[in-house]
Amino acid sequence: MIGNRTYNSLKNTARSKRRTRAPVSARTLAIASIMLGSLTAIIPMVASMPILPPFGLLTFVAWRVLRPHLLPNWSGVLFGLFDDLVSGNPIGTAMFLWGALSIAIDSSERYFPWRGFYHDWVISGISSTIYILMAAMFGSTGLGTFDPLLFLPQILISICAAPLVMRLVVALDRRATNP
Amino acid sequence: MAPPPPRRGGYSRRAQFGLFAGYVVAVAGTIFGLFLVITSWVDPEGHSALRRMMTDVTAPISSAGSSVVGGAKGAGGGLSGWWRAGTQNASLKKELDAARRELIDARSLKRENEALRKTLGIIERDGRPVAMGRLVASSPSASRRFGILNVGSTSGVANEQSVRSADGLFGRVIETGIGSARILLITDSGNVVPVRRVSDGLPATVTGIGDGWLEVRPLTSQTGLMKPGDVFVTSGVGGIYQPNIPVTVIRKAQRDKAYGVPIANPGASDVAMVLPVYEPAATDAAVTQAAKPPVQAGQAK
């Protein structure tokens, strides 16, 4: 798919043409895209098993690995609150998990200063796996059985969807920095 | 990618303090989120107030979208129906004649049943629905199987009422907002429905296992009781679900349990009826029956 070099060059490209469009700040686009990703939980689709990847989390992690200082550390908690309200998980699951994942990604940056596309993909995959499994654990009542294998298709689809979301976020970032 | 500049803030004490405060807020917010999750286990009532408000806000959006989805499905069905109309007509007429005969039989049996019940003195509450709505959305990415209904407390919906389509049972209401309600579908693992088999009244319980299948366990310890094709309806035990609502059809049977599919399909944009909570008055009848002298065999003619 997207190779390492192409991805890096897309991120750091210089402006080649000057186009006259209204300037949009990257922070606005980041906030709007993450909230829109969380809102995919209310699309009118009735599913018999959890199948849709958590697009809010994927977008949030994509913005984190692309522009680490764009969103502050505590923004994970607020985005998590919005995601909980929309998706129907107990309020606090996404607040806790997105906040903890955001702090974990931040501290992992110390040990891996040079990151490429595949490293970002691994970060996104691990984050969505941890989020899906722990949100299911928080949401289970103890009456039914918690079967991790049930979420395996959702985890695989999230890992495959991560590069698509990262490509979209890169496109939004280029729109913000190349008015 | 080049390593990002560290968030040290340089030598400015104000910037460093701002950075420290940011970390404090992040960790405090994360712990607050964990605290909220724990309160959802300990005190579910207070926890659900905020969620009810959010379903009230998002249900109209899902409702508009679901009518578009239903319209697109209907257009495709109409075209394929027109294509094979000729041959279908003949076979449908034959089916209609057979069905008419069976309907007459069924109606006379129903009348006989009602007469017998009146004789025994059991009063069954009339199953008139409290409200009629539509299932507008489900939770495709969450781990629990919820459905959102677009009628709420203004229409008389309350918690613990059961929801069914014309085909069978969907689930029960767990949260009610002003204009919307959240349903726990029977395919969720936290939902247990007491049922009985249509053919012989074998009692069983139906639990969801989270992937769209239902697990049916009989209440006796005898093995090998169920086979594919058995239909189970609600039995009225437990007081929540009205009796005789179709629930599931068995597809795979094992020695001590069986797996079935729900008869009602929540994805078919169907009308959903909200039924009142079923509290059988049979317990009252049993008490008064015990007080009367027993009926002699010769008198029951």
Side-chain angles (χ1 to χ4, degrees), chain B residues 172-274:
Chain B
R172 61 185 162 95
V173 177
I174 51 168
E175 285 171 4
T176 319
I178 296 177
S180 64
R182 194 182 287 268
I183 302 176
L184 196 65
L185 300 176
I186 51 175
T187 46
D188 183 81
S189 53
N191 215 345
V192 177
V193 183
V195 296
R196 61 159 190 260
R197 190 158 52 182
V198 168
S199 48
D200 61 352
L202 172 76
T205 59
V206 166
T207 317
I209 46 182
D211 64 353
W213 287 81
L214 298 168
E215 187 184 71
V216 183
R217 287 180 178 270
L219 291 181
T220 68
S221 55
Q222 211 180 338
T223 58
L225 285 172
M226 294 181 284
K227 52 186 197 314
D230 284 345
V231 177
F232 283 83
V233 296
T234 53
S235 62
V237 171
I240 293 182
Y241 301 100
Q242 308 238 351
N244 298 325
I245 303 177
V247 175
T248 179
V249 163
I250 303 287
R251 291 263 187 260
K252 294 188 289 202
Q254 295 173 0
R255 284 167 45 89
D256 58 345
K257 58 180 184 284
Y259 292 100
V261 289
I263 291 179
N265 181 9
S269 286
D270 219 350
V271 172
M273 293 184 272
V274 182

Side-chain angles (χ1 to χ4, degrees), chain B residues 121-124 278-289:
Chain B
I122 296 175
I123 303 163
E124 290 224 344
Y278 178 69
E279 296 148 350
T283 46
D284 294 334
V287 166
T288 51
Q289 196 76 339

Side-chain angles (χ1 to χ4, degrees), chain A residues 13 42 73 89-91 124 139 164:
Chain A
T13 189
I42 63 165
N73 262 340
N89 294 325
I91 297 182
S124 190
L164 299 173

Side-chain angles (χ1 to χ4, degrees), chain A residues 8 11-12 40-54 64-66 68-69 71-74 77 82 84-93 95-96 99-100 103 106 109-110 113-116 135-141 143-145 150-151 154, chain B residues 1-8 21-23 25-27 29-34 36-37 39-41 47 50-51 54-55 58 61-63 65-66 69 135-146 182 185 187 189-192 207-212 266-267:
Chain A
N8 294 337
K11 282 200 281 187
N12 302 329
T40 55
I42 63 165
I43 58 175
M45 170 178 129
V46 180
S48 63
M49 62 179 290
I51 201 72
L52 209 60
R64 284 297 281 178
V65 299
L66 174 68
H69 302 317
L71 300 167
N73 262 340
W74 41 266
V77 176
F82 180 73
D84 273 339
L85 292 176
V86 170
S87 70
N89 294 325
I91 297 182
T93 55
M95 280 172 75
F96 169 63
I103 295 175
D106 217 17
E109 270 177 25
R110 268 192 64 198
W114 296 88
R115 282 200 316 248
M137 265 172 48
F138 284 154
S140 69
T141 53
L143 181 66
T145 54
L150 178 66
F151 300 98
Q154 189 183 14
Chain B
M1 179 177 133
R7 285 190 207 241
R8 294 296 160 248
Y23 269 104
V25 170
V27 172
T30 307
I31 295 179
F32 178 64
L34 184 62
L36 279 182
V37 172
T39 61
S40 87
W41 291 334
H47 184 89
L50 200 53
R51 275 167 51 171
M54 269 322 268
T55 57
T58 60
I61 307 173
S62 306
S63 180
S66 74
V69 169
L135 209 61
V136 294
S138 161
S139 47
S141 55
S143 56
R144 309 291 306 279
R145 303 263 61 77
F146 294 124
R182 194 182 287 268
L185 300 176
T187 46
S189 53
N191 215 345
V192 177
T207 317
I209 46 182
D211 64 353

Side-chain angles (χ1 to χ4, degrees), chain B residues 68-89:
Chain B
V68 170
V69 169
K73 276 201 241 175
L79 198 61
S80 72
W82 171 83
W83 187 256
R84 296 179 299 132
T87 50
Q88 263 192 345
N89 256 341

Side-chain angles (χ1 to χ4, degrees), chain A residues 26-161:
Chain A
R27 189 167 290 149
T28 313
L29 279 179
I31 295 174
S33 60
I34 295 174
M35 288 175 70
L36 210 63
S38 292
L39 283 174
T40 55
I42 63 165
I43 58 175
M45 170 178 129
V46 180
S48 63
M49 62 179 290
I51 201 72
L52 209 60
F55 279 114
L57 178 71
L58 288 177
T59 320
F60 177 66
V61 172
W63 277 105
R64 284 297 281 178
V65 299
L66 174 68
R67 296 270 288 262
H69 302 317
L70 183 67
L71 300 167
N73 262 340
W74 41 266
S75 60
V77 176
L78 291 181
F79 284 127
L81 177 65
F82 180 73
D83 190 70
D84 273 339
L85 292 176
V86 170
S87 70
N89 294 325
I91 297 182
T93 55
M95 280 172 75
F96 169 63
L97 288 169
W98 289 28
L101 283 169
S102 148
I103 295 175
I105 295 174
D106 217 17
S107 44
S108 82
E109 270 177 25
R110 268 192 64 198
Y111 302 97
F112 299 103
W114 296 88
R115 282 200 316 248
F117 166 71
Y118 295 104
H119 189 97
D120 292 340
W121 195 356
V122 165
I123 289 179
S124 190
I126 293 180
S127 312
S128 50
T129 308
I130 293 178
Y131 172 72
I132 289 171
L133 288 176
M134 295 214 61
M137 265 172 48
F138 284 154
S140 69
T141 53
L143 181 66
T145 54
F146 168 67
D147 180 20
L149 283 184
L150 178 66
F151 300 98
L152 196 60
Q154 189 183 14
I155 291 174
L156 289 176
I157 292 181
S158 306
I159 293 176
C160 294

